[in-house]
Amino acid sequence: MNKFTIAVPASTANIGPGFDSAGMALNKYLNVQVIEQEKWEIENHSPLLPSVATYTDHFIYKVAKQIAEKYGKMLRACKLVIYSDIPLARGLGSSASAVLAGIELANQLCSLSLTLEDKLKLATEIEGHPDNVAPVIFGGMVISAVMSHQSIHYFQLPNLDLDTVVYIPNIELSTEAARSVLPNSFSRDDATAASGISNLMIASLISGDYNLAGKMMEQDVFHEPYRAELIPNYQMIKQEAKSQGAYGTVISGAGPTMISFVPRGQGTKIASFMKEKLSDYEVDALVIDQTGLQVHQDLIK
């Protein structure tokens, strides 16, 4: 009998001007313990995840079945024991983590021997864009792009000397709703300005000029100006975090969570201050997950 655990990190994406291209893995996790047995069974141990009537309705199972069938394989029956501290529809990559858990489940149960690039391509096909799934696979901060012929290119930034603070309100915001407020096109001048801001943010992060990177994060014109009205306490969070030394604060993914990028070692202090300002929020000091998706072989007891 085989027994293993799939561990998948949360992620933040967009990161200001890095719209649909810049993502970062964070240390909240979806953990799926897999125990092979004669029939399918799913145990959900997280109040953050929705309950389903039968295993065939579970999103992770559906993804795994889709991938297995793509390669002409059948999933072996197993029991899934699921734990997660990644909130749903909050802009912290809950969908991407579940997609990768399903892909890895099929990879393990069907002995597909998928490469990291295979997983990136499959996950991007399901998610529609690689900005969340790339850091979930590789860890750290990853810049990714889908080319016109559907090939995916990516660059993993060197280890950043940063921590983060996330501000999670008690409301959901679907990606579809957040996308519906965006314009269908930009003028050449706006697109040129937005691209320059994004380029300078990435260059500043690589060079370690976090003050400039934070400034560029907050100058986005692609999506934040349009989504700001959907995000509770948008301006207040940015201003208060800045007063405590945050380099920059932006919408996490499509929102409604916001995320501050702060000096290494300052996350807990800044989070404690912000909790007093946002008593009805979950405020967490998080660190960048540098390893990405992991599979741990468990001992059978």
Side-chain angles (χ1 to χ4, degrees):
M1 182 170 61
N2 194 16
K3 182 180 179 184
F4 57 93
T5 298
I6 302 168
V8 192
S11 56
T12 185
N14 295 329
I15 308 183
F19 184 64
D20 275 3
S21 60
M24 177 184 289
L26 299 170
N27 69 325
K28 283 182 176 287
Y29 295 94
L30 167 66
N31 288 288
V32 182
Q33 188 179 62
V34 184
I35 307 167
E36 290 193 50
Q37 56 183 31
E38 292 185 357
K39 64 178 183 178
W40 277 95
E41 182 183 358
I42 295 182
E43 284 186 9
N44 175 25
H45 290 267
S46 171
L48 298 176
L49 298 176
S51 59
V52 294
T54 176
Y55 74 88
T56 56
D57 294 327
H58 200 284
F59 183 66
I60 293 175
Y61 171 83
K62 288 180 177 180
V63 171
K65 183 173 183 288
Q66 175 184 339
I67 300 303
E69 291 176 348
K70 183 182 182 74
Y71 288 88
K73 303 283 188 177
M74 292 275 292
L75 292 173
R76 298 195 300 273
C78 60
K79 177 180 181 179
L80 304 182
V81 184
I82 302 174
Y83 302 85
S84 180
D85 56 3
I86 306 173
L88 296 180
R90 296 295 202 281
L92 287 171
S94 59
S95 175
S97 65
V99 166
L100 263 304
I103 291 171
E104 191 58 50
L105 179 62
N107 185 42
Q108 296 293 324
L109 293 180
C110 300
S111 301
L112 299 179
S113 300
L114 297 175
T115 66
L116 296 178
E117 284 71 21
D118 291 335
K119 296 172 191 178
L120 177 60
K121 186 174 187 299
L122 291 168
T124 300
E125 289 173 356
I126 295 171
E127 279 284 273
H129 39 84
D131 54 333
N132 279 103
V133 298
V136 166
I137 295 168
F138 300 108
M141 184 172 180
V142 181
I143 312 303
S144 53
V146 180
M147 309 305 288
S148 59
H149 49 289
Q150 296 305 302
S151 63
I152 304 168
H153 296 269
Y154 65 90
F155 174 75
Q156 185 178 27
L157 272 67
N159 195 352
L160 301 174
D161 197 24
L162 294 171
D163 286 338
T164 72
V165 178
V166 294
Y167 317 98
I168 309 171
N170 190 28
I171 61 168
E172 294 185 359
L173 177 61
S174 71
T175 300
E176 292 75 17
R179 283 190 180 272
S180 69
V181 301
L182 302 182
N184 292 323
S185 61
F186 293 90
S187 70
R188 184 191 306 179
D189 287 346
D190 285 345
T192 300
S195 296
I197 291 167
S198 181
N199 294 340
L200 188 51
M201 180 189 75
I202 300 304
S204 301
L205 287 170
I206 293 172
S207 69
D209 188 343
Y210 300 125
N211 285 306
L212 181 57
K215 184 177 180 180
M216 292 301 101
M217 284 178 196
E218 296 186 346
Q219 299 301 312
D220 170 61
V221 298
F222 278 133
H223 74 112
E224 290 225 2
Y226 307 97
R227 290 174 167 169
E229 63 184 19
L230 304 177
I231 309 300
N233 299 303
Y234 176 83
Q235 290 294 347
M236 184 272 279
I237 291 173
K238 291 168 76 79
Q239 292 165 3
E240 293 292 345
K242 181 72 73 176
S243 76
Q244 297 303 301
Y247 295 121
T249 301
V250 296
I251 300 169
S252 180
T257 293
M258 295 187 70
I259 181 169
S260 293
F261 296 87
V262 306
R264 179 77 62 86
Q266 295 298 303
T268 300
K269 178 178 74 70
I270 293 174
S272 296
F273 174 86
M274 294 298 289
K275 283 177 183 177
E276 296 183 4
K277 301 289 182 179
L278 299 162
S279 58
D280 55 342
Y281 277 58
E282 178 185 348
V283 180
D284 287 335
L286 301 180
V287 299
I288 303 170
D289 175 282
Q290 298 293 344
T291 56
L293 185 154
Q294 299 287 302
V295 178
H296 306 289
Q297 295 297 323
D298 299 336
L299 296 175
I300 300 295
K301 294 183 180 181

